[in-house]
Amino acid sequence: MKNKKLMIVLGALALLLVGVFTFSIGDSENSADSSNKDQVNEKISENTDEQKAVVVGILQTTSHPALDAITEGARKGLSENGYVEGENAEIIFQNGQGDQNLMNTMAQSLIEEGADILIGIGTPASQAFANATDDLPIIMGAVSDPVGAGLVDSEETPGKNITGVKDQAPVQAQLDIVLEILPEASDIGVLYSSGEDNARAEAERAINTLEDYDLNPVIYKVSSTNEIKQTVATMAQEVDAIYLPTDNTIASAFDTVVKEANRYDVPLIPTVDSMIAQGGLATVGINQMDTGVESGRIAAEVLDGADPSDYPVYILNEGDKLINTQQAKLLGVEIPQALLDEATIIEPGN
């Protein structure tokens, strides 16, 4: 009888131990499953965060300080308006180095890499994007003549997947400053690239304005940077000053332009602000950083839902008076004190 009770007790203990062991294994497995689920959910969350980041493709026409400043400004404009690189925005940057075929390839590459919006820094880059897509929104970062370049139907109502910033040089104000510094000037050289739509449009405006001022425009065109040195040397012997419209080809070889013009003591009147520090004498220059910031702002608004087809092109056509007093001294040009008092003095290295 005692043995029978003992057997019952031992059996009960065995069942209890099996139950405890089974519960322990189940709890361990549930804990592991829970841990795995947490890891999976965390990964899904990470992937979701990554998917939320917009991809911005930026294509710059070539390398020079003016376009570099516009690109920097575009990044700043995006960040100031809610699209911060490394947080909720990924920026893929390409530089076409002045090669239109390369820009066309890069534009297609940026689209294939999943860009949600495209920013073209300069007319050729914007044209490369326009040739590559009719669907993705394109923001023009500094285009002098968007209608003439075939990018928009009109500046008020673009009518396509493209809008952005027009940086129209204040030609009259620039010529006013030329005449204030060089009152005896009559023959003004106009140097531009024949291969750029924006350069041709800006040169035409400059030529018309020179004629309105009863000045004589002396026109020289180049097809590549290889022609610039000889062309500047030739025209420097025929003109009182050289006016340089907005032009990526000329800007990329501006050091050569300055060197040749200085050989003949001929002042250079560029369009953009950054060229004054590089050796231009004076201008009323549009701030290129501001141009880029506006481009980034517009890109952010389009990402937020604005329709580029009816978003008016933003026009920048005012600038600051800029004087390079070191260059004036080198050329033997006396700057009127009244102009010095109201202008911003720019010198190399500053």
Side-chain angles (χ1 to χ4, degrees):
M1 190 68 172
K2 289 182 179 179
N3 288 338
K4 187 175 180 180
K5 289 181 178 180
L6 181 61
M7 291 298 292
I8 292 172
V9 170
L10 290 174
L13 286 173
L15 289 172
L16 179 62
L17 288 173
V18 169
V20 170
F21 182 71
T22 302
F23 176 81
S24 176
I25 291 175
D27 185 59
S28 177
E29 288 177 349
N30 289 337
S31 177
D33 287 345
S34 176
S35 177
N36 288 338
K37 287 177 181 178
D38 287 343
Q39 291 178 6
V40 170
N41 289 336
E42 184 179 347
K43 185 65 176 176
I44 290 172
S45 177
E46 289 176 359
N47 289 339
T48 301
D49 289 341
E50 289 174 2
Q51 290 169 0
K52 287 180 181 177
V54 300
V55 179
V56 181
I58 298 181
L59 178 59
Q60 183 172 314
T61 296
T62 190
S63 296
H64 62 73
L67 292 187
D68 294 345
I70 296 171
T71 296
E72 183 181 350
R75 293 175 183 269
K76 182 179 179 184
L78 282 164
S79 178
E80 289 178 347
N81 290 276
Y83 292 91
V84 181
E85 186 174 7
E87 293 183 12
N88 64 343
E90 176 188 356
I91 295 177
I92 306 175
F93 174 77
Q94 297 278 8
N95 189 323
Q97 300 298 349
D99 185 327
Q100 190 65 59
N101 290 330
L102 180 58
M103 277 183 270
N104 292 336
T105 300
M106 288 178 168
Q108 191 61 49
S109 173
L110 288 169
I111 293 168
E112 291 173 357
E113 288 184 62
D116 297 299
I117 194 167
L118 305 165
I119 302 178
I121 308 299
T123 300
S126 298
Q127 288 175 322
F129 280 144
N131 292 334
T133 179
D134 294 323
D135 301 318
L136 284 179
I138 299 168
I139 307 302
M140 304 176 295
V143 171
S144 302
D145 183 18
V147 175
L151 293 168
V152 299
D153 294 337
S154 75
E155 293 170 7
E156 296 77 17
T157 308
K160 302 178 181 179
N161 59 320
I162 306 173
T163 189
V165 178
K166 175 182 178 179
D167 58 341
Q168 180 173 289
V171 179
Q172 290 186 350
Q174 291 168 342
L175 292 182
D176 286 340
I177 205 172
V178 170
L179 293 177
E180 193 170 353
I181 296 172
L182 306 168
E184 302 300 321
S186 60
D187 298 319
I188 308 298
V190 180
L191 175 64
Y192 67 99
S193 167
S194 59
E196 291 189 33
D197 292 333
N198 58 300
R200 290 195 299 271
E202 287 294 278
E204 184 176 341
R205 283 206 310 125
I207 292 164
N208 291 336
T209 307
L210 283 164
E211 291 173 346
D212 290 342
Y213 276 57
D214 291 327
L215 296 170
N216 177 38
V218 183
I219 305 163
Y220 278 85
K221 295 177 281 188
V222 295
S223 60
S224 71
T225 56
N226 295 330
E227 301 173 11
I228 290 176
K229 180 177 180 180
Q230 183 58 49
T231 301
V232 174
T234 299
M235 68 188 304
Q237 300 176 67
E238 301 178 357
V239 301
D240 301 309
I242 298 176
Y243 179 84
L244 302 166
T246 305
D247 188 314
N248 296 302
T249 301
I250 301 300
S252 65
F254 190 61
D255 289 342
T256 299
V257 177
V258 172
K259 183 178 179 180
E260 288 304 307
N262 283 350
R263 287 178 57 196
Y264 299 93
D265 295 331
V266 175
L268 297 173
I269 310 300
T271 297
V272 299
D273 57 348
S274 60
M275 289 184 177
I276 297 300
Q278 291 179 270
L281 174 61
T283 196
V284 177
I286 294 173
N287 187 296
Q288 300 302 295
M289 177 68 76
D290 291 347
T291 302
V293 169
E294 292 299 332
S295 302
R297 175 187 63 79
I298 294 171
E301 293 192 18
V302 170
L303 286 168
D304 287 340
D307 184 351
S309 68
D310 59 16
Y311 192 112
V313 173
Y314 185 88
I315 301 175
L316 279 170
N317 57 7
E318 295 182 358
D320 301 321
K321 291 183 178 181
L322 308 171
I323 307 291
N324 185 333
T325 52
Q326 183 173 315
Q327 189 69 10
K329 183 177 180 180
L330 176 68
L331 298 174
V333 174
E334 185 175 349
I335 308 295
Q337 187 59 48
L339 180 56
L340 289 173
D341 291 341
E342 63 180 357
T344 300
I345 307 303
I346 305 292
E347 294 182 353
N350 293 340

